[in-house]
Amino acid sequence: MLIFIDVPTNGYGETMTNVCTSCSRDIPQGEIVVKFPCPSCGEVEILRCAKCRRLSNPYRCPKCGFSGP
Ligand SMILES: [Zn+2]
Ligand SMILES: [Zn+2]
């Protein structure tokens, strides 16, 4: 699913950063990213920045270790 990133806030009014699962880069607000649940465990949301999407960088699920293109 393609989404425009928007910076969420936690319950304390602090902004949370969105970090690309592939390259660990902070994703700026307004960037178009792809966000989907891990195809293996479904418990982790994978976030890939525009650059990783274009380069088809692999990602690795931090929970189950599944990696995919
Ligand atoms: Zn990235
Ligand atoms: Zn997983």
Side-chain angles (χ1 to χ4, degrees):
M1 172 173 70
L2 288 178
I3 56 156
F4 282 102
I5 204 75
D6 90 87
V7 177
T9 51
N10 63 19
Y12 306 101
E14 298 165 335
T15 52
M16 297 157 66
T17 43
N18 294 285
V19 176
C20 174
T21 307
S22 294
C23 67
S24 301
R25 183 169 75 88
D26 282 358
I27 303 170
Q29 186 159 14
E31 182 163 321
I32 302 170
V33 301
V34 63
K35 187 185 202 178
F36 55 93
C38 170
S40 178
C41 68
E43 290 181 38
V44 175
E45 268 192 342
I46 307 290
L47 212 61
R48 298 177 81 202
C49 68
K51 189 179 128 211
C52 289
R53 202 158 48 82
R54 196 173 62 242
L55 299 175
S56 298
N57 280 349
Y59 59 86
R60 176 183 277 268
C61 172
K63 188 172 179 89
C64 68
F66 177 86
S67 65

